[in-house]
Amino acid sequence: MGYEKIIKERRMLLGLTQQDLADYAGLSLRLIKSVEAGCGNPSLATLGKIADVLGLEIIMKVKEVSV
């Protein structure tokens, strides 16, 4: 599941509109819409703001590479 689907499902579960999420995260509605649509390339800082509002965390891990 991509991050855009996780963000949208969590936002809806919390009963927030896209405008609510934008306001709480200090981001534009246009940016929230593009993130949920999977368009553009949001920065880690932007995803972090969204995650904070939605009670999510961003986890990075090293990929396992088969040689």
Side-chain angles (χ1 to χ4, degrees):
M1 180 182 304
Y3 68 85
E4 53 281 318
K5 187 169 182 177
I6 294 169
I7 289 170
K8 184 175 182 177
E9 286 182 359
R10 180 67 176 172
R11 175 183 61 76
M12 293 176 75
L13 179 71
L14 295 173
L16 299 174
T17 65
Q18 288 179 325
Q19 185 65 62
D20 291 334
L21 178 54
D23 291 343
Y24 295 144
L27 301 168
S28 70
L29 176 59
R30 182 177 173 184
L31 179 59
I32 298 299
K33 286 183 177 193
S34 72
V35 167
E36 287 191 2
C39 301
N41 188 15
S43 69
L44 190 55
T46 296
L47 291 175
K49 288 178 182 181
I50 293 169
D52 283 345
V53 171
L54 297 177
L56 300 171
E57 65 180 355
I58 297 172
I59 299 172
M60 295 173 53
K61 63 183 185 177
V62 177
K63 280 186 185 181
E64 291 185 25
V65 179
S66 57
V67 182

